[in-house]
């Protein structure tokens, strides 16, 4: 649900949401049938084998057409972009591993292409996994190369990016303006694609698409790793196709009962989770003392609030820097959003401290450059990726249409998360007036009954998917084991040696740690700043 641009992930050390998933088994099988209730009565035809073409170093690409509506398998089709990274040890290859990179809205193919740059970030595959599996990336319908959703024109997006948000106002703007924006957004969605297509973007159809890919690969079962929103996809697949699952790992899990049933409570939990990770940075900075973390001279909370207010009252001018930033202004809302993102990954805390110190000294360029890299957020940001992000959420979510519920939720979020709550407020307005409701989406509990035991992995302080969601997912799934990583960050596999060993064992060998196992952080968190040359 959160990510920095893949090409900048190593540079900024931010959490690149990448996940893995998919296949092995004895004999290939066709897709299981479905009905409008998620049961069986209509089956999509078995797809032809994929035709691969070279599209990069050790990469192959293909396109698979799938039914837009699985109850009408001979009707409109959607092209899915598929990419494969071949196993590096073909003599010991297990099969294919499909991954979902979360978001929703993050193109899996782009994530796979940038894998060499993503080492050390959540979801980055270990050499052991890369050796044994063909890694398969599938852009979910409506995302990336799979007929990406478009709701805003280039001008509208540019105008939205240039609009000043007030961090003290719930939603960043007066409610009347937020409602106008929601109308423009949703009207734009139906102008640029059909309501039928928008209604088809639900996660149950994404899971059915995965099963089409499985069949096109000629595999009988899948091995799956999902990160963040990818855990909803994984839980859905295990529920609809339990006998097609070989092994499954779900990292930074979402509480699927809230995702499918209560979007306003879902967003409130996200705001509180982000507030807690920001508070963890404040506490670490204060506890380490001014000799280690000089920001705020012992009171980082007060210094931060003053900086946000100062930047909002008088934004800093940012000069253009060729190849880095086109320049502009850094205001309080932008600084708050950047801080929220960087505070959510303890590896980037030194960078955050440095950027805040620089801004405090009148150099807002580091914060501004980092702000321009935040492309996926649980709260609205004006990017192409957010359009797909919103469309998938609205296809899945149950969101009240009446504004009173949103006003109450906004007040609750601001009260529960003093700094971040305003970012969460009114984040579901687009879904409240969504013009393409999915009337036959799957809403039953995602239990995965009949699938093998699932390894659920969760960070103790996750800025997007709080730890209690992992506990809820473990209880909801028919058979699951919970592994906890101590520390702050969204996603655990790829950044922690203890978690890496457990996930590799689950994916490769199908063995799990004891339920309730806890992995300690490899490196203690610190707010010690990096040194900017011009500071």
């Amino acid at each position: 649900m959160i990510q920095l641009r893949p090409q900048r992930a190593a540079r900024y050390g931010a959490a690149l949401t990448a996940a893995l998933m998919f296949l092995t088994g004895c004999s290939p099988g066709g897709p299981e049938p479905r009905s409008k209730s998620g049961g069986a009565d209509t089956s999509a035809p078995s797809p032809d084998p994929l035709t691969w073409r070279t599209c990069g170093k050790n990469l192959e690409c293909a396109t698979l057409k799938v039914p837009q509506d699985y109850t009408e398998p001979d009707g409109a089709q959607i092209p899915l972009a598929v990419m494969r990274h071949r196993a590096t040890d073909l003599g010991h290859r297990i099969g294919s591993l499909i991954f979902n990179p979360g978001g929703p809205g993050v193109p899996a193919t782009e994530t796979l292409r940038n894998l060499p740059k993503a080492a050390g970030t959540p979801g980055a595959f270990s050499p052991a996994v890369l050796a044994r599996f063909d890694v398969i990336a599938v852009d979910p319908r409506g995302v990336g190369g799979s007929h990406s959703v478009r709701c805003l024109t280039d001008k509208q997006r540019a105008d939205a990016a240039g609009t000043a948000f007030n961090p003290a106002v719930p939603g960043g703007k007066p409610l009347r303006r937020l409602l106008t924006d929601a109308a423009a957004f949703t009207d734009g969605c139906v102008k640029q694609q059909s309501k039928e297509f928008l209604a088809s973007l639900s996660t149950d159809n994404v899971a059915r698409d995965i099963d089409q890919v499985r069949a096109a690969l000629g595999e009988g079962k899948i091995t799956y790793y999902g990160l963040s929103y990818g855990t909803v996809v994984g839980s859905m697949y295990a529920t609809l196709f339990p006998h097609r699952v070989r092994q499954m790992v779900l990292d930074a899990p979402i509480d699927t009962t809230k995702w499918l049933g209560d979007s306003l409570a879902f967003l409130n939990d996200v705001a509180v989770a982000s507030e807690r990770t920001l508070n963890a940075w404040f506490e670490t900075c204060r506890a380490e003392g001014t000799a280690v973390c000089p920001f705020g001279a012992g009171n980082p909370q007060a210094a931060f609030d003053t900086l946000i207010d100062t930047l909002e009252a008088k934004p800093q001018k940012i000069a253009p820097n060729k190849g880095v930033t086109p320049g502009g202004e850094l205001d309080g809302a932008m600084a708050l959003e950047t801080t929220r993102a960087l505070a959510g990954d303890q590896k980037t805390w030194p960078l955050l401290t440095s950027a805040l110190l620089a801004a405090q000294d009148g150099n807002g360029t580091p914060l501004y450059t980092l702000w321009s890299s935040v492309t996926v957020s649980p709260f609205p940001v004006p990017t192409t990726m957010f359009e797909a992000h919103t469309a998938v959420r609205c296809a899945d979510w149950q969101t009240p249409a009446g504004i009173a519920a949103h006003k109450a939720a906004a007040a609750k979020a601001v009260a529960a998360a003093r700094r971040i709550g305003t970012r969460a407020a009114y984040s579901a307005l687009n879904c409240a007036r969504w013009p393409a409701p999915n009337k036959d989406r799957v809403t039953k509990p995602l239990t995965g009954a009949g699938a093998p035991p699932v390894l659920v992995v969760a960070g103790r302080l996750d800025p997007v998917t709080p730890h209690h969601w992992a506990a809820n997912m473990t209880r909801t799934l028919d058979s699951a084991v919970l592994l906890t990583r101590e520390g702050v960050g969204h996603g655990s596999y790829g950044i922690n040696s203890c978690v890496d060993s457990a996930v590799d064992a689950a994916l490769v060998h199908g063995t799990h740690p004891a339920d309730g196992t806890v992995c300690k952080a490899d490196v203690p968190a610190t707010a010690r700043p990096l040194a900017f040359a011009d500071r």
Side-chain angles (χ1 to χ4, degrees):
M1 294 177 60
I2 261 183
Q3 167 169 338
L4 297 188
R5 290 194 178 102
Q7 60 267 35
R8 300 182 182 179
R11 177 180 176 187
Y12 296 136
L16 170 67
T17 49
L20 359 124
M21 120 182 159
F22 212 121
L23 309 143
T24 53
C26 301
S27 61
E32 293 184 3
R34 63 94 46 151
S35 71
K36 292 198 175 211
S37 63
D41 76 359
T42 303
S43 178
S46 296
D48 293 331
L50 293 167
T51 300
W52 298 101
R53 64 186 185 279
T54 301
C55 58
K57 184 179 180 181
N58 203 29
L59 295 176
E60 297 173 317
C61 292
T63 300
L64 177 67
K65 290 186 177 181
V66 297
Q68 177 173 287
D69 185 342
Y70 279 90
T71 65
E72 299 178 5
D74 296 323
Q77 302 285 298
I78 296 173
L80 297 182
V82 184
M83 181 182 286
R84 175 169 67 178
H85 181 282
R86 298 309 301 271
T88 57
D89 184 357
L90 292 177
H92 296 90
R93 176 184 177 276
I94 294 173
S96 297
L97 181 82
I98 298 180
F99 74 96
N100 182 288
V106 180
T109 55
E110 179 183 344
T111 304
L112 182 57
R113 188 178 294 279
N114 282 281
L115 265 182
K117 305 174 186 177
T121 62
F125 309 116
S126 72
V129 169
L130 291 173
R132 305 296 296 276
F133 293 96
D134 289 343
V135 177
I136 308 294
V138 183
D139 287 353
R141 55 173 62 201
V143 174
S146 298
H147 197 53
S148 183
V149 171
R150 188 69 188 260
C151 297
L152 300 174
T153 64
D154 289 341
K155 184 180 184 305
Q156 285 175 316
R157 193 176 300 128
D159 289 345
T163 299
F165 292 85
N166 187 338
V169 174
K173 303 177 186 179
L175 180 55
R176 181 177 298 179
R177 177 65 185 275
L178 292 173
L179 291 169
T180 299
D181 289 349
F185 184 94
T186 53
D187 289 348
C189 291
V190 293
K191 285 180 181 177
Q192 302 200 52
Q193 51 262 301
S194 70
K195 290 183 179 181
E196 291 76 16
F197 171 71
L198 293 171
S200 81
L201 300 179
S202 55
T203 300
D204 51 296
N205 280 330
V206 174
R208 295 182 182 100
D209 293 344
I210 289 172
D211 205 56
Q212 288 281 294
V213 174
R214 174 202 60 76
L217 287 166
E219 303 277 4
K221 295 191 176 188
I222 74 167
T223 300
Y224 181 96
Y225 169 94
L227 178 64
S228 195
Y229 166 72
T231 66
V232 183
V233 177
S235 298
M236 184 70 74
Y237 189 88
T239 299
L240 298 184
F241 305 98
H243 303 299
R244 300 298 192 196
V245 177
R246 173 187 167 271
Q247 294 296 327
M248 183 171 287
V249 175
L250 304 177
D251 190 0
I254 287 173
D255 184 346
T256 54
T257 61
K258 286 189 176 178
W259 177 267
L260 297 174
D262 192 341
S263 61
L264 298 182
F266 171 91
L267 288 168
N268 189 80
D269 278 4
V270 175
V272 171
S274 284
E275 188 86 7
R276 285 174 177 166
T277 58
L278 177 56
N279 287 338
W281 177 81
F282 285 142
E283 177 57 26
T284 300
C285 180
R286 186 199 61 76
E288 288 187 316
T290 56
V292 174
C293 181
F295 180 78
N299 192 345
Q301 292 99 322
F304 178 76
D305 292 340
T306 297
L307 178 61
I308 297 302
D309 291 344
T310 300
L311 289 172
E312 189 61 22
K314 187 178 181 180
Q316 289 185 14
K317 301 290 185 182
I318 307 299
N321 189 340
K322 187 175 181 180
V324 179
T325 174
E329 287 188 341
L330 174 72
D331 64 17
M334 295 160 67
L336 177 62
E337 173 62 11
T338 307
T339 300
R340 182 202 60 75
L342 294 178
D345 182 350
Q346 68 185 43
K347 296 195 308 297
T348 60
W349 282 5
L351 183 60
L352 172 59
T353 306
S354 304
L356 290 175
L357 285 167
Q360 196 174 51
D361 286 351
N363 175 16
T365 299
L367 268 181
Y368 182 86
T369 303
L370 291 164
W371 170 80
S372 67
S373 300
V374 179
T375 59
V376 176
S377 166
F379 315 122
V381 288
T383 65
T384 306
M385 206 173 289
F386 188 75
E387 291 167 46
H389 183 80
T390 301
V392 173
R393 298 201 306 186
C394 294
D396 270 3
W397 282 3
Q398 180 176 315
T399 303
I403 194 61
H406 294 263
K407 287 182 176 179
K412 183 178 180 180
V414 172
R418 184 168 72 85
R419 296 176 178 88
I420 307 300
T422 57
R423 294 283 296 119
Y426 299 112
S427 291
L429 283 183
N430 288 330
C431 295
R433 58 162 290 127
W434 194 242
N438 182 357
K439 297 178 181 178
D440 67 342
R441 66 190 179 93
V442 171
T443 58
K444 64 183 180 181
L446 303 185
T447 64
V454 175
L455 177 60
V456 177
V457 185
R460 183 73 70 187
L461 280 176
D462 189 303
V464 182
T465 57
H467 188 270
H468 72 268
W469 283 3
N472 289 345
M473 173 174 277
T474 304
R475 287 190 291 267
T476 300
L477 289 167
D478 191 61
S479 180
V481 170
L482 177 60
L483 174 67
T484 297
R485 171 189 55 81
E486 296 291 357
V488 175
H490 185 52
S492 299
Y493 178 58
I495 66 168
N496 179 280
S497 58
C498 170
V499 171
D500 293 351
S501 296
V503 172
D504 285 355
L507 294 174
V508 176
H509 304 294
T511 58
H512 293 161
D515 185 33
T517 296
V518 176
C519 288
K520 296 181 179 179
D522 285 345
V523 180
T526 180
R528 180 187 295 273
L530 303 174
F532 285 118
D534 57 345
R535 189 178 179 270

